[in-house]
């Protein structure tokens, strides 16, 4: 089957891509996230990347777990089928979907709670299997949807919404992905569209498991990537008013900086996040070097962004399994069911 | 004379290669035309513990397990006392008199053969000594039971085709045992095999292999699984058959995908992802795996995604008795997952039905858009059964259910994934990628409206939940109907059974008749229960529900789903982990009837 | 005149700070001595979606949810139409006439107040403008309803103790709304509050907070949990109370350990590990978490490890309606896990009982050595309830059950972990590290004998499994007994209810009586069911089972466990996710009685 | 409570430790593993370590999951309480036990299936939490108890029992543990008692999460750490005899070599495993360096053994949670239950 998409009526001035589609054709339902949530910027970046890549939206499937981040597939590509599965298990659902139809493009969206806590095992094994997909973690260091508990990617020194200290080591999902053999590992920042869109485009066209850890601040429970001061600061300021269920309206945080540069981004909780964009001469091909670089910079208080590791040589899961080139879901009785004679010979061998 | 009617039992140490030798004996008897039921009773470890292998031969076709051993092959000193005690008076024990010399019971006949001595004379390497000792006792049995040695020789030759050395050595070992026995004893015994034609066109196969074949013929293309006894061999069989019958000729590529998942949650998650995306997908598991799959089963129920799950039941609860059989996941599968859920279950009673129900399960799952759980067990799954040949209708197409292709989508005004267009509770689906403009929807485990949109409107959710009940009711008319032990109901007492228990029922009914207790029987094959199930119950004053669990789980399900007065249903519970015997069923029913308490004394005329 | 008998409803956008303001109104009414039932009806997101807050005030103490709004505070244009429609004829709507000017319904009285304009005049910062608009409408309501402004002022002062600026600003906002209203309208309305003493010594608290306090007083020391609505606030309450009352004075160290686990499997695993090792341990979860805990619950059942689990039920199946209430995990909790299992359940009906049953649960879990699941729900857990004061008997010691210390071990000949020494099915345990030579045993989920040794002997396993049934039977006499709505049974019709549904029952019974339908009622508080549950059912011709699920799960459990004829039990099912109302219960029962079909027409005299 | 153990009657010539106990006092039930199984050697090493450390056995708790490896706690320290929990979830049970009684010593035994597949999430999070325990993985690259499927630690090139190739990246649990912040990470070989016993002793006395990955060959389903030839080799040789359920009797494999040395160990399947013992000048304190070293050697076909990483500075879980020094399970009503007055004041605050 092949489809030519029939463009809907559009405002003539909207730019169109090679399929004759406008950005609007890649949009989704209206977001119900908090105003200023980083996740909405990631959705926008995905929309932009798909538009620029001239992707036919219906040939893309979007999958997620549960969380604010996992809601976002509703907010982009409304012409794509979506699957909002269960908490922490998107990876397995995506793996199965992938095997059923090798011809679609798969985008998985997850959160740091969804991936680094309940979903850590499935994440690690999807990496190992080289499932051909883009796996995005919208990483805010917190459990947004359940109102601000620490997640496992949360900085060790952070102080939470209720003043608790986080005493546990943060999990760096990018390092873990490299270690486990992912073939495309990147880190982005939700506010840096200039970097994020190209990363998503590269990941979407990569064959194998492509992972992007996107730092995506939660404007409401913003206790990640912070100094120990952050929460105190917020609390002092919020005590002046009545509510504990009040979510102030925030502007989206953005940042724009060049390769090799370091910038400080000020988050809603007034604390700073220091980002370092990889230099153009960075060696993407060295997993050990990549891990060392990330860890060294981390020790300096910097979060490295960019394409951290790339290996275009490995087989993806479908190749490892030596799958036929025809999508499995397209095969019918004739392709799948042995003849009656075969069954008779099997019976005969069992007598 | 026990011609073609006896139980043979082997007592061995596991890891000694005995199971293969023992299976050879069972198959040879079968090849002589006598129905056999081998039962491998093995421990949950790899080497060094007691293991048993029972072979019931029955020309009458009574293939339930039977107590009372006619001939014991006692090769394990660890379990010697119990093994000897289990022999019927007048029975025999074959043993290695290289070691054991003296004996307690006088009512059985000892047959001592110096197996070790004989074998060690001929073979040097320890490994060979062990293995050929097994083959040697096969030879002994061939002589004692009168098994056609030609059949054994042919089987060995077939097994080692191309390895002439191996064939020669095995045949030699076989002859060592056989010749010694023919020379030393008066053969055959009164426990013996005579060529017969009682098996007809039957085959011998394990349920898991048959189910794996069923998946092959059903067009399953994605299997995700995690190893666990006793379900492992199902996935492995599927893999084996696929590697033979599902390779694209031109390219050598595979028309199937099998993934050993990292755990059961991932296994069912993958199957659900594949089912959502239009492939026929399944997983197989047992006990603990069922518990772990609960959350995902609820998702598939609510998001209406077809998926097939084989539950090869074993002894629970918890890790329980992993190498013993039970039927104790009935409730946990029927109502798996939190919230209001219910799932379609199929209950195969033998390997042939494992094959048929595998095929049925994929059709049902797609037709009803819901998980279908095939409730097999260790007894069916891991033992060879004498069973009717595997058969399918080559003209029957896969029933993919209500799936809209691009033209179908074009034909509808507005596609609603969860609209009850036909009034049967089953909505239409479409696969990702089908149409550039229409049909895209968002599958979710959260509450949703008829267009798959998220909603927190309670009345909409009630509407969706009530449609799901309607859908389940539709399933009632699609699932396999029960089958009956009699053509018409004549008794006031009834008996309901299902699954592997069925093997013992015909014999139990005969025993009951002999005791002047007449009982009609019905074998359940599915949940939801077709209407005739309630009819059967209401047509009888008391109905015994025979099942292999402590809590009478099927009885609960019957009471609850058919709104039956519990007083009518008398639990007959056997859950020691061994396949049930007709004697035990008979005794429990007779006790219930005789004492009049539970069964209300309604002994039939 | 609707003095102290009315329903007030707020329609807001979530994340706007409204819930705090609305709660202030509810608490002020309570402080005036009028029983109130606030219900927070919130969406599953953080900001920007419609959210409602209902406050029923009832001097008669009828605190179930009630349809028909007497005064609507309509602050959300998104939901305006539905909100207006839900007002009773003769009711009122308070709205911000800065924006909205015109109106459709003529049978209600609009009360337009220029909230935005008034507040913006005084406050500059957007955040303050939003928040003080909420406080301003509290002031408006104080005037309209006749709420004692002194109480509101005191509550604000208490809340912001030490922050004089905040107090001043809030009081100003309050006055802005109140003064405008007093000047503009004729106050109070006929919907009004008058000081009363109908609350006695009652308190207002959420069930989850009460349960957290119960865990504190029960001596729980280890809590492991994973965030999930609506159970999160239970763990958070426990943490809050512990940080206040469980700090060692001398050292500042903690006499409690709380771990936010990586998922629900880990959470219950940690609780089980701690329970095994002699600490009182619990976890709390909802819906999906219950499904994920199945395997571990089976382990704890079979290895006999005390653990307490709070299930704050929400709308299922799957992710379902996470911010709505249901009672739909009854079957999945009673029989959680594969194999033959059954678990002790407690059904608290209000926060006071959450507190009491938390304490009860730890005693029961240790006494019976098994998981105990406290079946609360979102309605009880996350709403403030007017409830009797929390009370414990300070002389009551923790019942740690049968635990042998070193002397106890010395006194026994041979310790057998799973020996039924006392004939009640409950064995003795001992904690790791107790004795250098005696009492060490190996806990396992595999089949075991009375000495905790691994066994594959089916008869031993049957023995152990049957003892577990005996133990469960012992639990029947230890769990909280049901309570009755009447002192004696007089009617031919009965009604069974449990949990949060109870709030609506007294009123429903009155409505039924008004319709000349007499019904006796019983409130279940536990599973296994004490014997009197069956007595109650058998004492009535028909019994309505009121529950908040689709499948009549409690009815199933009653039928199955009490061997009751299903025909006696008439399902009354309300599962739209909102707390049940007396009207709805009454209608369904009247329909069942009136139409005579389900309830057999047995209308009482 | 404190106990003085009362020594039982012993053969006078058996050596005794400081508690007056012999090695026999540290033994367990008879093993039901296959003859020659590496796991039995690990049990022996644990016995030896506890004996040498003069540990009172009843103050140690042993926990495990499910698998051949997880059975082993039955085969050592019969005076210790044991808990054979469920597959892949030992870590959580051990965490809970640990919190209940801070005064016992905790030993967890797991398999590579138990830890690297189904249990990966719990393992990773126990590491992060610094649960004070010794966590041993008896790593044979296969699922022993379920008869020889590949595990996730299996070498990518291996060929399995049934001739399948393993196309997936192996998970190196030691690397993962270092990355996630374990404070003691070592690798041993079941056959090298001289190295293993000291490692276990060090781990038992370490405060915090101590991880030992013990290469422990499965003699029956020996498809790990092999060349692509290994299985073919076995199959060719086994076809000469009848059985598929025959487990040949094997001798335990042992190895003895010095620090800094590399040796080749021949496994039962005739293929070789190349072990490199760490040099004495290796720097245990550098996590990034450790990971790099392991990965570099791995690329050379070598498996590094020894103490890979050690950090004695971090808090363990009990410290992170600021637990009282008294075991929680020893606290009674007086310590735990607030007074009736407190309850009354709480009630009052709720009116
Ligand atoms: C099995 C299960 N456990 C818990 C939850 C509750 N829950 C919903 S979202 C969430 C965490 C979300 O955190 P994250 O993945 O970081 O997403 P975010 O909201 O921060 O984007 C949790 C714990 C659930 N839905 N299912
Ligand atoms: C939930 C669950 N799934 C599967 C199993 C079956 N099972 C038992 S042991 C095991 C794997 C054991 O492998 P490993 O941990 O490497 O131990 P080994 O036997 O190799 O020492 C499996 C899959 C189980 N007991 N429980
Ligand atoms: S709570 Fe945080 S993560 Fe969730 S929508 Fe709001 S800002 Fe985004
Ligand atoms: S199967 Fe392998 S791991 Fe299991 S006991 Fe035997 S040798 Fe050891
Ligand atoms: Mg997050
Ligand atoms: Mg292993």
């Amino acid at each position: 089957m092949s489809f030519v998409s029939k463009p809907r009526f559009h405002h003539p001035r909207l730019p169109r891509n090679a399929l004759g589609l406008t950005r609007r054709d890649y949009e989704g339902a209206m977001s119900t996230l908090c105003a200023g949530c980083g996740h909405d910027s990631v959705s926008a970046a995905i929309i932009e990347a798909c538009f620029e890549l001239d992707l036919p939206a219906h040939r893309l499937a979007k999958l997620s777990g549960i969380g604010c981040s996992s809601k976002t597939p509703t907010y982009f590509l409304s012409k794509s089928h979506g699957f909002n599965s269960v908490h922490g298990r998107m990876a397995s659902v995506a793996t199965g979907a992938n095997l059923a139809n090798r011809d679609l493009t798969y985008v998985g969206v997850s959160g740091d709670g969804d991936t680094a806590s309940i979903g850590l095992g499935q994440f690690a094994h999807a990496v190992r299997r080289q499932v051909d997909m883009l796996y995005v973690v919208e990483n805010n260091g917190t459990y947004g949807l359940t109102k601000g508990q620490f997640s496992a990617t949360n900085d060790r020194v952070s102080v939470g919404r209720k003043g608790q200290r986080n005493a546990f080591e943060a999990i760096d999902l990018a390092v873990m992905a490299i270690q486990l053999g992912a073939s495309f590992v990147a880190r982005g920042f939700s506010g840096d569209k200039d970097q994020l869109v190209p990363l998503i485009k590269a990941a979407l066209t990569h064959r194998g498991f492509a992972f992007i850890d996107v730092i995506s601040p939660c404007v409401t429970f913003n206790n990640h990537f912070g100094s120990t001061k952050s929460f105190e600061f917020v609390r002092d300021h919020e005590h002046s008013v009545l509510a504990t269920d009040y979510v102030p309206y925030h502007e989206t945080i953005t940042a724009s900086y060049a390769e090799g540069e370091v910038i400080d981004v000020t988050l809603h909780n007034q604390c700073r996040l220091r980002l370092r964009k990889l230099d153009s001469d960075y060696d993407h091909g060295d997993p050990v070097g990549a891990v060392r670089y990330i860890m060294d910079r981390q020790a300096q208080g910097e979060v490295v962004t960019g394409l951290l590791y790339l290996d275009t040589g490995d087989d993806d899961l479908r190749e490892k399994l030596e799958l036929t080139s025809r999508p499995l879901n397209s095969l019918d009785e004739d392709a799948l069911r042995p003849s009656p004679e075969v069954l008779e010979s099997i019976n005969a061998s069992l007598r | 004379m026990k011609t073609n009617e006896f139980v043979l039992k082997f007592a061995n140490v596991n890891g000694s290669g005995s199971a293969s030798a023992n299976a050879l004996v069972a198959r040879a008897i079968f090849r002589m035309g006598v129905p056999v039921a081998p039962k491998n009773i093995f421990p949950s470890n790899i080497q060094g513990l007691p293991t048993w292998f029972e072979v019931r031969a029955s020309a009458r076709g009574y293939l339930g397990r039977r107590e009372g051993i006619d001939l014991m092959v006692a090769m394990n000193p660890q379990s010697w006392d119990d093994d000897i005690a289990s022999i019927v008076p007048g029975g025999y024990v074959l043993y290695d008199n290289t070691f054991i010399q003296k004996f307690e019971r006088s009512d059985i006949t000892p047959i001592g053969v110096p197996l070790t001595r004989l074998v060690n004379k001929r073979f040097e390497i320890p490994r060979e000594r062990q293995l050929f000792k097994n083959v040697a006792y096969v030879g002994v049995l061939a002589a004692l039971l009168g098994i056609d040695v030609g059949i054994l020789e042919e089987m060995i030759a077939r097994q080692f085709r191309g390895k002439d050395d191996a064939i020669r050595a095995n045949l030699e070992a076989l002859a060592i045992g056989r010749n010694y026995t023919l020379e030393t004893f008066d053969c055959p015994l009164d426990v013996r095999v005579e060529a017969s034609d009682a098996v007809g066109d039957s085959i011998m196969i394990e349920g898991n292999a048959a189910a794996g074949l069923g998946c092959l013929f059903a067009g399953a293309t994605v299997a995700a699984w995690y190893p666990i006894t006793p379900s492992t061999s199902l996935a492995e069989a599927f893999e084996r058959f696929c590697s033979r019958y599902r390779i694209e000729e031109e390219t050598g590529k595979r028309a199937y995908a099998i993934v050993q998942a990292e755990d059961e949650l991932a296994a069912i998650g993958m199957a659900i992802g594949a089912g959502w995306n239009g492939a026929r997908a399944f997983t197989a598991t047992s006990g603990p795996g069922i518990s772990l799959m609960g959350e995902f089963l609820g998702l598939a129920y609510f998001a209406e995604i077809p998926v097939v799950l084989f539950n090869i039941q074993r002894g629970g609860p918890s890790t329980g008795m992993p190498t013993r059989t039970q039927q104790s996941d009935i409730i946990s599968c029927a109502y798996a997952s939190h919230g209001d859920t219910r799932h379609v279950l199929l209950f195969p009673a033998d390997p042939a039905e494992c094959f048929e129900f595998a095929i049925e399960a994929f059709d049902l799952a797609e037709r009803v858009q819901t998980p279908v759980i095939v409730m097999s067990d260790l007894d069916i799954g891991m033992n060879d059964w004498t069973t009717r040949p595997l058969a399918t209708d080559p003209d029957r197409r896969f029933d993919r259910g209500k799936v809209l292709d691009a033209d179908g989508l074009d034909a509808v005004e507005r596609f609603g994934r969860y609209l009850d267009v036909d009034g049967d509770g089953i909505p239409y689906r479409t696969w990702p990628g089908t149409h550039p403009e229409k049909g895209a929807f968002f599958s979710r485990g959260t509450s949703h409206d008829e267009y798959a949109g998220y909603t927190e409107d309670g009345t909409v959710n009630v509407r969706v939940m009530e449609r799901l009940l309607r859908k389940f009711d539709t399933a009632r008319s699609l699932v396999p109907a029960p089958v009956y032990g009699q053509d018409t109901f004549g008794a006031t007492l009834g008996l309901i059974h299902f699954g592997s228990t069925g093997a013992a029922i015909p014999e139990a009914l005969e025993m009951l008749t002999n005791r002047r207790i007449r009982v009609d029987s019905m074998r359940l094959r599915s949940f939801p229960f077709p209407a005739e199930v309630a009819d059967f119950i209401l047509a009888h004053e008391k109905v015994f529900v025979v099942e292999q669990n402590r809590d009478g789980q099927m009885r609960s399900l019957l009471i609850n789903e058919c709104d039956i007065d519990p007083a009518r249903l008398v639990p007959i519970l056997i859950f020691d982990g061994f396949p049930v015997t007709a004697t035990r069923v008979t005794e429990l029913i007779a006790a219930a009837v005789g004492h009049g308490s539970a069964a209300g004394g309604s002994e039939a005329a």
Side-chain angles (χ1 to χ4, degrees), chain A residues 69-128:
Chain A
S69 35
S70 292
K71 284 182 176 188
T72 63
T74 308
Y75 314 140
F76 59 81
L77 303 193
S78 57
K79 288 182 191 164
S80 303
H81 277 249
F83 197 160
N84 191 199
S85 63
V86 288
H87 190 34
R89 319 290 176 192
M90 174 267 282
S92 64
V93 177
T95 304
N98 215 285
L99 295 173
N101 186 352
R102 57 178 304 152
D103 285 355
L104 304 186
T105 299
Y106 295 90
V107 175
V109 178
S110 179
D112 43 331
D114 203 60
T115 289
S117 289
I118 189 168
L120 193 66
Q122 293 215 343
F123 170 70
H125 286 275
V127 172
R128 270 188 86 224

Side-chain angles (χ1 to χ4, degrees), chain B residues 537-550:
Chain B
I537 297 174
L538 295 176
H540 294 89
E541 277 175 24
K542 298 278 168 190
V543 176
F544 302 101
V545 185
V546 185
E547 46 186 321
Q548 299 179 47
N549 60 62
R550 182 193 66 180

Side-chain angles (χ1 to χ4, degrees), chain A residues 26 42-57 59-63 76-77 80 98 102-109 131-136 184-186 196-212 307 310 316 318:
Chain A
Y26 292 90
V42 183
S43 297
I46 292 173
I47 290 169
E48 181 63 26
C50 292
F51 170 79
E52 292 181 13
L53 283 175
D54 307 319
L55 269 185
R59 303 300 291 168
L60 183 148
K62 44 189 189 173
L63 300 104
F76 59 81
L77 303 193
S80 303
N98 215 285
R102 57 178 304 152
D103 285 355
L104 304 186
T105 299
Y106 295 90
V107 175
V109 178
V131 180
D132 184 25
M133 69 182 295
L134 161 58
Y135 190 116
V136 178
F184 178 114
V185 179
L196 190 54
V197 172
L199 284 177
I200 293 174
K201 285 169 68 176
L204 281 171
T205 50
H206 174 76
R207 187 180 41 77
F209 193 85
F211 175 62
I212 309 183
L307 178 57
L310 179 66
D316 82 349
R318 301 172 294 205

Side-chain angles (χ1 to χ4, degrees), chain A residues 125-131 316-317 320, chain B residues 259-262 270:
Chain A
H125 286 275
V127 172
R128 270 188 86 224
R129 290 196 182 97
Q130 286 285 16
V131 180
D316 82 349
L317 177 61
K320 287 176 195 287
Chain B
V259 181
Q260 183 186 315
E262 60 273 29
M270 290 175 197

Side-chain angles (χ1 to χ4, degrees), chain A residues 116-118 120-121 124-125 128-130 151-154 156 165-172 175-176 178-181 287-288 291-293 295-296 314-315 317 320-322:
Chain A
S117 289
I118 189 168
L120 193 66
H125 286 275
R128 270 188 86 224
R129 290 196 182 97
Q130 286 285 16
S151 87
T153 63
N154 193 273
R156 181 154 176 179
R165 285 183 63 248
N166 177 23
F168 304 104
E169 211 57 64
I171 293 178
D172 187 320
V175 167
M176 187 171 261
I178 295 171
Q179 214 82 78
L180 290 167
V288 182
V291 169
R292 193 184 44 205
Y293 186 73
M295 289 173 77
D296 284 350
D314 197 14
D315 286 346
L317 177 61
K320 287 176 195 287
L321 295 181
E322 299 173 30

Side-chain angles (χ1 to χ4, degrees), chain B residues 128-189:
Chain B
E128 295 193 334
R129 287 182 161 180
Q130 172 57 50
L131 286 170
F132 291 126
K133 194 169 83 175
N134 299 337
V135 181
Y137 74 58
V138 172
V140 173
L141 289 170
L144 292 177
L145 297 172
I147 296 173
D148 184 343
V149 72
I151 291 180
L152 287 166
E153 288 169 353
E154 190 203 315
M155 286 168 73
I156 288 171
R158 207 207 277 183
Q159 185 161 355
F160 296 103
R161 205 189 321 273
K163 315 240 172 211
D164 287 348
D165 280 0
I167 295 175
R168 203 171 315 115
N170 274 285
L171 293 185
E172 230 178 293
L174 190 74
I176 287 174
R178 183 156 177 272
N179 293 340
Y180 176 90
T181 310
L182 290 174
E183 285 157 20
T184 316
F185 303 100
D186 195 12
C187 295
L189 307 176

Side-chain angles (χ1 to χ4, degrees), chain A residues 3-6 8 58-59 61-63 73-74 78-87 89 92-93 95-101 104 106 121-122 125 129 320-326 328-329 331-340 342-343 345-347 349-351, chain B residues 30-31 158 201-205 213 216-217 219 221 245-246 248 253-262 265-266 269-270 273-274 276-279 295-296 299 305 389-392 394 396-398 406 410 430-437 439-445:
Chain A
F3 295 100
V4 184
S5 68
K6 313 163 203 144
R8 298 179 296 179
H58 74 294
R59 303 300 291 168
K62 44 189 189 173
L63 300 104
T74 308
S78 57
K79 288 182 191 164
S80 303
H81 277 249
F83 197 160
N84 191 199
S85 63
V86 288
H87 190 34
R89 319 290 176 192
S92 64
V93 177
T95 304
N98 215 285
L99 295 173
N101 186 352
L104 304 186
Y106 295 90
Q122 293 215 343
H125 286 275
R129 290 196 182 97
K320 287 176 195 287
L321 295 181
E322 299 173 30
L323 288 202
T324 167
S325 58
R326 295 177 295 165
L328 292 178
N329 73 352
L331 303 179
D332 63 6
E333 290 84 352
D334 301 333
L336 297 175
R337 193 164 60 185
S339 69
V342 165
L343 187 57
S345 76
I346 291 172
N347 278 323
S349 75
L350 297 166
R351 285 192 184 116
Chain B
F30 172 78
R31 291 278 297 274
R158 207 207 277 183
D201 62 353
S202 293
I203 60 171
M204 252 185 96
I205 189 171
L213 268 170
L216 175 76
F217 279 83
T221 51
Y245 302 112
R246 279 279 187 79
E248 266 186 0
K253 295 285 185 186
R254 303 177 186 164
Y256 65 98
I258 301 177
V259 181
Q260 183 186 315
E262 60 273 29
L265 292 95
M270 290 175 197
W276 172 75
N277 214 3
E295 189 192 16
F296 257 129
L299 173 71
I305 295 166
L390 310 181
T392 49
R396 172 169 162 179
R397 311 294 295 172
F398 299 157
D410 273 330
T430 178
W431 302 339
T434 298
H435 192 294
E437 295 289 334
F441 63 90
F442 212 86
S443 302
R444 54 176 94 244

Side-chain angles (χ1 to χ4, degrees), chain B residues 370-601:
Chain B
T370 203
V372 173
I373 311 180
V374 183
M375 305 286 285
S376 176
D377 63 26
L378 180 141
D379 181 18
I380 307 178
M382 290 189 69
N383 286 315
D384 270 329
W385 286 49
T386 298
T387 195
R388 64 184 176 286
L390 310 181
T392 49
D393 174 359
D395 295 330
R396 172 169 162 179
R397 311 294 295 172
F398 299 157
D399 182 352
R400 310 291 319 250
K402 302 185 187 177
V403 181
L404 294 181
D405 59 12
D407 292 341
L409 284 169
D410 273 330
V412 296
E413 179 109 29
R414 183 179 169 205
F415 173 68
R417 169 67 182 96
Y418 297 115
L419 278 177
D420 187 5
V421 177
D422 303 323
D424 57 0
I426 304 177
Y428 284 79
R429 60 185 189 124
T430 178
W431 302 339
T434 298
H435 192 294
E437 295 289 334
K438 287 178 88 173
F441 63 90
F442 212 86
S443 302
R444 54 176 94 244
T446 38
S447 42
H448 43 263
D449 63 18
E450 282 79 357
Y451 296 90
Y454 178 69
T455 180
E456 292 181 355
D457 183 335
T459 54
V460 173
N461 197 49
V462 165
R463 213 161 60 207
V464 169
M465 289 298 291
E466 284 177 343
R467 179 182 56 72
L468 284 171
L469 269 192
R470 219 153 54 231
K471 182 172 95 163
F472 204 70
D473 206 53
T474 299
R476 194 182 307 281
S477 58
L478 299 173
V479 295
V483 294
Y484 300 93
Q486 298 76 22
D487 291 335
T488 52
F489 311 154
T492 53
L493 296 175
L495 180 157
I496 287 180
H497 63 101
F498 59 95
S500 61
T501 314
I505 297 302
E507 191 176 13
L509 293 178
E510 188 184 288
M511 289 178 178
L512 286 165
T513 306
N514 291 344
R515 294 205 193 191
R516 308 196 343 99
I517 304 174
R518 232 182 96 204
V519 181
D520 294 332
S521 75
M522 177 178 75
R523 180 162 69 81
L524 295 173
R525 304 203 299 165
S526 60
F527 174 74
F529 303 120
E532 55 193 294
V533 172
D535 295 344
F536 177 86
I537 297 174
L538 295 176
H540 294 89
E541 277 175 24
K542 298 278 168 190
V543 176
F544 302 101
V545 185
V546 185
E547 46 186 321
Q548 299 179 47
N549 60 62
R550 182 193 66 180
D551 291 345
Q553 299 188 18
M554 183 62 87
R555 177 175 173 270
S556 295
L557 202 61
L558 286 165
I559 294 167
N560 190 37
E561 297 282 333
C562 304
D563 263 348
I564 295 287
D565 186 349
R568 270 185 194 272
L569 296 178
V570 183
I572 301 293
L573 307 174
I574 302 167
F575 58 100
D576 59 3
F578 293 101
V580 305
T581 65
T583 313
R584 190 111 180 78
V585 172
T586 305
E587 271 165 16
L588 288 171
I589 290 180
V593 173
H595 302 163
S597 58

